Amino acid sequence: MSLREQAEKDLKGIMEDETTGFGWPVTIVNPLGVNLSLIALSGDISQTIDPDTGQLVSGRLAYCSIRMSSLFAGGMGIPEGISDSDRLPWLVTFNDINGVSHTFKVYKSSPDRALGIVDLVLEGWK
Amino acid sequence: MIQELINKQDNFELVGQKIVDILKTEIENQKTLALANGSNPLDWNLRIFYERSNAWEQYLNNTVIETPIVNVWLDNSSYNRNDSNEIEYQTAESTYNIDVYGYGKASADGSGGQNAGDLQASLNLFRAIRLVRNIIMASNYTYLDMRGVVSRRWPESISIFQPQLDNVNMQQIVGSRLALRVQYLEFSPQYTGESIEEIFATVISKETSEVLLEAEYDYT
């Protein structure tokens, strides 16, 4: 097994260990409404941004990193940001540490096909 | 020494507060008119702040409310020597930045598509700018309700700002700045002299001997 293949296998312990690691249950819904539950890395933290006016605006950065092989094993493709208003976006749902569920829209998808990880930047969804 | 306590507000303060007062009053009025018109008054709602740097907390903790935020703050002032009186008053021109922030959240449109969050943010922003500009530039407020002090108000520019792509945020926020230039008078404490002599003057018509004017002056 090459080191690269070994690195991909190690992702299971790094990204999908919800018992002793940072793995966290997430649910992904594709534009067709098909959903898949898996373990991934996710986060939702506050930050401040400046829309260039000189005034700081409080904001939030939500993200999710998923092992691509787990997506493929569940019959899913790679999530992507969808700008078209006549299509539903990819959605990601996960609980915060206190058990409150939050649903997000996939804003930007950055797949790392060399290692087999896709990083998702998420946007608020109501 | 100056004999009086300087406990007045300068006009650069009063003008900023007046802009906020006008916006608040007129927004409430617009909501009443909208209701009477059978429209949703929330579409005319704005949250208005004065000289604040952290008016945006709702965008972090309460992402349900999409009401645009307006913050009025003084940017700079300059004085025109030619239009001023060395002793009593100076003509000042100040730029008040009226920052407006729109916020939008993506949602399903109910027919298999989506209402994009960035579009919603821009539409909310445009609605807010439209209201602010129309209210401030309404002929009712040519002198910002401070006739005799304010002589001109003019919107110098409206700039729209979008967050940089690298600062991708869960919230879709678009900002804008309306730079409002206001010309007004600024007054300062005046020396009050002691009366040395009283002058009494009478103006009599040469033709009819009628007394036209009597006046009394304190000469200091």
Side-chain angles (χ1 to χ4, degrees), chain A residues 44-62 82-89 103-105 107-108 121-126, chain B residues 52-53 56-57 59-60 63 66 71 73 99 101 105-109 112-114 116-118 161-165 167-173 175-177:
Chain A
D44 176 5
I45 57 172
S46 66
Q47 62 170 13
T48 50
I49 59 167
D50 170 14
D52 214 23
T53 57
Q55 299 287 307
L56 288 177
V57 179
S58 297
R60 283 163 67 183
L61 176 66
I82 294 179
S83 301
D84 310 60
S85 57
D86 59 351
R87 292 174 62 201
L88 281 170
T103 299
F104 303 94
K105 163 189 168 178
Y107 179 88
K108 192 171 82 171
V121 178
L122 307 174
E123 180 189 331
W125 179 259
K126 64 178 178 182
Chain B
R52 297 290 298 276
S53 59
W56 329 103
E57 193 63 15
Y59 286 165
L60 175 63
T63 55
E66 293 186 9
N71 185 38
W73 60 282
D99 286 351
Y101 285 75
K105 205 169 182 180
S107 62
D109 67 1
Q114 58 172 315
D118 47 358
F161 305 97
Q162 284 199 325
Q164 298 297 310
L165 190 61
N167 293 337
V168 174
N169 200 266
M170 199 202 86
Q171 281 94 342
Q172 289 287 357
I173 298 169
S176 82
R177 174 165 294 164

Side-chain angles (χ1 to χ4, degrees), chain B residues 25-76:
Chain B
T25 307
E26 286 297 335
I27 286 300
E28 289 307 313
N29 182 46
Q30 286 296 309
K31 286 197 286 189
T32 306
L33 292 173
L35 205 59
N37 195 40
S39 303
N40 181 2
L42 292 180
D43 288 343
W44 278 261
N45 197 26
L46 301 178
R47 298 190 69 206
I48 297 162
F49 296 89
Y50 174 58
E51 293 288 344
R52 297 290 298 276
S53 59
N54 63 340
W56 329 103
E57 193 63 15
Q58 76 168 46
Y59 286 165
L60 175 63
N61 294 315
N62 192 345
T63 55
V64 177
I65 301 173
E66 293 186 9
T67 306
I69 290 172
V70 177
N71 185 38
V72 179
W73 60 282
L74 174 65
D75 189 335
N76 64 71

Side-chain angles (χ1 to χ4, degrees), chain B residues 85-216:
Chain B
N85 178 314
E86 199 78 37
I87 298 168
E88 189 180 7
Y89 63 85
Q90 294 79 46
T91 301
E93 275 199 18
S94 293
T95 299
Y96 293 87
N97 285 333
I98 305 178
D99 286 351
V100 183
Y101 285 75
Y103 165 65
K105 205 169 182 180
S107 62
D109 67 1
S111 57
Q114 58 172 315
N115 298 312
D118 47 358
L119 173 63
Q120 291 304 313
S122 286
L123 294 179
N124 284 334
L125 176 76
F126 293 165
R127 172 169 62 82
I129 297 173
R130 180 201 318 149
L131 283 171
V132 168
R133 194 204 66 79
N134 275 279
I135 289 170
I136 293 297
M137 292 311 293
S139 61
N140 311 49
Y141 298 112
T142 300
Y143 304 102
L144 296 178
D145 258 358
M146 296 176 74
R147 200 171 191 134
V149 173
V150 171
S151 54
R152 197 161 66 105
R153 50 91 177 95
W154 186 254
E156 282 203 325
S157 64
I158 294 178
S159 314
I160 309 289
F161 305 97
Q162 284 199 325
Q164 298 297 310
L165 190 61
D166 290 338
N167 293 337
V168 174
N169 200 266
M170 199 202 86
Q171 281 94 342
Q172 289 287 357
I173 298 169
V174 184
S176 82
R177 174 165 294 164
L178 190 162
L180 184 71
R181 194 85 173 148
V182 182
Q183 183 174 299
Y184 56 93
L185 295 177
E186 200 72 271
F187 299 93
S188 48
Q190 296 299 300
Y191 168 75
T192 307
E194 287 181 28
S195 186
I196 299 172
E197 193 175 357
E198 254 183 23
I199 297 176
F200 189 84
T202 304
V203 178
I204 299 172
S205 167
K206 188 177 178 183
E207 294 173 354
T208 64
S209 298
E210 183 185 359
V211 176
L212 298 176
L213 173 72
E214 288 185 339
E216 202 175 308

Side-chain angles (χ1 to χ4, degrees), chain A:
Chain A
M1 184 182 290
S2 73
L3 279 177
R4 191 159 145 184
E5 287 171 324
Q6 185 61 50
E8 200 286 330
K9 294 235 177 292
D10 289 345
L11 291 178
K12 181 160 185 62
I14 297 168
M15 302 179 70
E16 299 184 330
D17 180 0
E18 63 172 325
T19 310
T20 59
F22 280 101
W24 199 252
V26 302
T27 300
I28 297 170
V29 184
N30 73 11
L32 299 175
V34 180
N35 64 68
L36 172 68
S37 295
L38 39 73
I39 306 299
L41 300 179
S42 63
D44 176 5
I45 57 172
S46 66
Q47 62 170 13
T48 50
I49 59 167
D50 170 14
D52 214 23
T53 57
Q55 299 287 307
L56 288 177
V57 179
S58 297
R60 283 163 67 183
L61 176 66
Y63 63 91
C64 182
S65 296
I66 306 169
R67 187 183 178 200
M68 284 164 68
S69 60
S70 297
L71 283 170
F72 298 147
M76 281 278 186
I78 298 174
E80 59 182 357
I82 294 179
S83 301
D84 310 60
S85 57
D86 59 351
R87 292 174 62 201
L88 281 170
W90 286 75
L91 300 178
V92 176
T93 302
F94 54 83
N95 290 355
D96 62 25
I97 194 67
N98 294 307
V100 180
S101 177
H102 300 274
T103 299
F104 303 94
K105 163 189 168 178
V106 173
Y107 179 88
K108 192 171 82 171
S109 170
S110 304
D112 178 349
R113 292 185 174 83
L115 197 56
I117 301 173
V118 57
D119 288 327
L120 306 177
V121 178
L122 307 174
E123 180 189 331
W125 179 259
K126 64 178 178 182

